[in-house]
Amino acid sequence: SYELTQPPSVSVSPGQTARITCSGDALPKQYAYWYQQKPGQAPVLVIYKDSERPSGIPERFSGSSSGTTVTLTISGVQAEDEADYYCQSADSSGTYPYVVFGGGTKLTVL
Amino acid sequence: EVQLLESGGGLVQPGGSLRLSCAASGFTFSSYAMSWVRQAPGKGLEWVSAISGSGGSTYYADSVKGRFTISRDNSKNTLYLQMNSLRAEDTAVYYCAKDLFLDYGDYSYFDYWGQGTLVTVSS
């Protein structure tokens, strides 16, 4: 089955830049999406179609893609950005598309 | 304002059944595909099932195929998930999520999520 691979954890100090990667063989052909999830809350979409930012999401959140890896970058990290982050894409190799999530990355703001 | 409100979770014995509901408001419900996504305690997100806006097409993860049934009532703006033959590994918070498109596909992603309902399968 198709997998998206994320680092389990990333730590940064306030004001620094956090980069969270997501790797998958199909990412050159499929868009990636990123969700932020804080404890006890539902996920929130922060990046769509690799690098687009939904309205209401701060400009410090950005996304990029290169080959089989997509990256979520948070510039000038703030304490409120501490959360779990999940990438999402799709596996189209089967009978029908299969939404796939990465295992998640816990962002700790030191 | 888009709102998704799940209900129907609870404690059920292995082999039992449960029906989850998701009441939607703030958008034209029938114009969008919907999905159920679950999250086991302390674990990541897992897509479970999707249904097209019309309700005519349904899709399931291999882990629930043959046991779960997704449906929707567009006249009531409500999404459902009928869960049968429940197993301990089905224990999770179940979220309903709104797709960006009418039909589910490899372009699907989710712009709104409910707060989730907890399903616990245990004897």
Side-chain angles (χ1 to χ4, degrees):
Chain A
S1 62
Y2 182 54
E3 293 186 352
L4 296 172
T5 302
Q6 299 181 235
S9 62
V10 168
S11 300
V12 295
S13 299
Q16 290 190 328
T17 296
R19 294 180 178 85
I20 300 172
T21 59
C22 172
S23 299
D25 289 342
L27 289 177
K29 303 186 292 286
Q30 298 285 355
Y31 283 124
Y33 311 89
W34 289 94
Y35 302 90
Q36 175 194 68
Q37 186 181 35
K38 296 181 179 180
Q41 298 185 20
V44 173
L45 179 70
V46 295
I47 293 291
Y48 67 98
K49 292 184 180 179
D50 292 347
S51 59
E52 300 294 321
R53 192 175 53 252
S55 60
I57 300 301
E59 290 184 7
R60 63 180 182 273
F61 288 86
S62 64
S64 62
S65 176
S66 179
T68 58
T69 299
V70 293
T71 302
L72 172 68
T73 300
I74 310 172
S75 304
V77 166
Q78 301 182 5
E80 65 198 53
D81 299 330
E82 186 164 285
D84 293 326
Y85 291 85
Y86 295 91
C87 62
Q88 179 234 307
S89 190
D91 177 9
S92 296
S93 62
T95 305
Y96 52 72
Y98 214 95
V99 164
V100 178
F101 291 96
T105 298
K106 180 175 182 58
L107 175 66
T108 300
V109 181
L110 300 171
Chain B
E1 179 192 6
V2 172
Q3 289 193 331
L4 299 171
L5 184 60
E6 302 95 337
S7 61
L11 175 64
V12 61
Q13 292 188 338
S17 298
L18 213 55
R19 188 176 86 152
L20 306 183
S21 299
C22 171
S25 61
F27 65 101
T28 304
F29 184 65
S30 60
S31 294
Y32 297 94
M34 298 290 294
S35 278
W36 289 97
V37 177
R38 68 184 180 183
Q39 186 170 35
K43 302 297 184 182
L45 301 171
E46 180 189 14
W47 174 78
V48 172
S49 183
I51 186 168
S52 62
S54 68
S57 297
T58 58
Y59 310 86
Y60 299 94
D62 289 343
S63 57
V64 306
K65 200 175 297 182
R67 300 187 299 122
F68 289 12
T69 301
I70 191 171
S71 62
R72 63 193 296 162
D73 185 336
N74 286 343
S75 68
K76 296 182 178 179
N77 289 350
T78 303
L79 175 72
Y80 303 101
L81 186 67
Q82 177 67 44
M83 303 186 295
N84 299 331
S85 303
L86 282 161
R87 307 166 179 167
E89 54 265 36
D90 296 318
T91 294
V93 173
Y94 285 74
Y95 295 100
C96 65
K98 173 185 168 294
D99 203 314
L100 275 292
F101 305 98
L102 175 63
D103 291 315
Y104 171 79
D106 60 4
Y107 41 76
S108 284
Y109 64 105
F110 313 112
D111 57 351
Y112 291 96
W113 300 61
Q115 284 303 304
T117 187
L118 176 63
V119 173
T120 303
V121 184
S122 175
S123 54

